[in-house]
């Protein structure tokens, strides 16, 4: 079964065991409120992570679920198995809530104390391994990794994007001040810049224009929360959580296009 857009792989860090093959990220108010409402079932291997979150309810759901509460260090602090419809569960200190099909926690051996980590899927649906090298883009030097700057104030997006890009062999820098990206491109000899326009679309657009004017050899990607209005201009913007699944490949293409 192929992963839907935006789905990531959740696995246990110590042994690499996959906990959820297709985990959707619900990081906005609308997505968290919707959760699994309206679905008739949750198949084994499917799941959803509500972030931030420390409590859930199963009102108006049609099936039981397993729930894992995860803290800021990605450590499981509480597991609730077979939570029935019209029930609730809370866990103070949790930051993420992972919802799985009923029975998955026991089947996967998921328990409090497990440290979880994220992985991306390759184009063929296989889980990307830490040892998988980055193929050099056309015109890229095979002697060094592609240098990427993440310009975002979203700590959750930054942490996950850093993890996925580093696992794919990229050298990653970051800044919370979007406008500083222009100066960092020159100072850090960057190849690609990813700008998060969720808080200010105009700031990201101005920064992207400045980078393209001063450093035409640098590729620029703009990502944004899906709730924000899209500009009427030709500025290309990608929903940032869905972009994570293909971010590595998109950066390679952006780098190849800018250097060709």
């Amino acid at each position: 079964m192929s992963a839907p857009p935006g789905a990531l792989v959740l696995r246990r860090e110590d042994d690499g065991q996959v906990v959820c093959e297709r985990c959707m990220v619900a990081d906005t108010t609308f997505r968290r409120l919707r959760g699994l409402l309206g679905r008739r079932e949750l198949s084994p291997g499917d799941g959803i992570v509500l972030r931030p979150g420390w409590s859930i309810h199963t009102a108006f759901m049609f099936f039981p679920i397993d729930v894992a509460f995860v803290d800021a260090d990605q450590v499981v602090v509480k597991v609730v198995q077979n939570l029935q419809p019209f029930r609730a569960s809370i866990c103070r200190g949790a930051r993420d809530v992972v919802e799985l099909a009923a029975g998955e926690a026991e089947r996967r051996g998921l328990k409090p104390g497990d440290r979880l980590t994220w992985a991306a899927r390759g184009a063929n649906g296989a889980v990307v391994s830490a040892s998988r090298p980055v193929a050099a883009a056309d015109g890229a030097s095979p002697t060094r990794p592609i240098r990427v700057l993440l310009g975002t104030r979203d700590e959750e997006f930054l942490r996950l994007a850093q993890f996925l890009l580093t696992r794919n062999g990229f050298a990653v820098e970051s800044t919370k001040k979007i406008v500083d990206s222009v100066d960092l491109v020159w100072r850090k000899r960057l190849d690609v810049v990813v700008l998060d326009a969720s808080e200010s679309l105009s700031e990201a657009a101005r920064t992207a224009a400045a980078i393209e004017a001063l450093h035409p050899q640098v590729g620029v990607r703009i990502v944004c929360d899906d709730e924000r209005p899209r500009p009427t201009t030709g500025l290309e913007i990608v929903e940032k959580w869905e972009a994570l699944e293909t971010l590595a490949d998109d950066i390679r293409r952006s780098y190849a296009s800018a250097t060709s």
Side-chain angles (χ1 to χ4, degrees), residues 56-128:
I56 65 161
H57 69 81
T58 56
F60 306 106
M61 286 178 55
F62 298 101
F63 50 88
I65 58 174
D66 286 352
V67 181
F69 293 91
V70 184
D71 68 13
D73 295 321
Q74 292 297 105
V75 175
V76 177
V77 293
K78 179 180 179 180
V79 175
V80 180
Q81 297 186 33
N82 201 37
L83 186 64
Q84 297 294 316
F86 291 93
R87 298 291 189 272
S89 184
I90 64 173
C91 180
R92 298 286 184 181
R95 189 168 69 174
D96 294 348
V97 182
V98 181
E99 299 180 351
L100 305 169
E104 285 291 273
E106 182 177 2
R107 186 168 77 90
R108 311 274 181 159
L110 185 63
K111 61 187 182 303
D114 286 347
R115 185 183 297 275
L116 304 182
T117 188
W118 297 95
R121 285 184 175 273
N124 64 353
V127 178
V128 175

Side-chain angles (χ1 to χ4, degrees), residues 5 8 23 26 28 32 63 66 68 72 118 130 147 158 162 168 174 177-178 183 205-206 214 216 222 231 234 245:
L8 298 169
C23 194
T28 65
R32 288 193 297 271
F63 50 88
D66 286 352
W118 297 95
R147 299 188 180 103
L158 174 61
Q162 280 180 321
N168 274 270
S174 66
K177 295 183 178 179
I178 305 300
D183 179 54
R206 289 194 301 269
L214 296 172
I222 299 180
E245 185 182 16

Side-chain angles (χ1 to χ4, degrees), residues 240-254:
K240 66 184 185 184
W241 290 107
E242 291 185 1
L244 280 175
E245 185 182 16
T246 59
L247 188 58
D249 289 335
D250 288 344
I251 287 175
R252 292 191 188 101
R253 284 193 293 269
S254 182

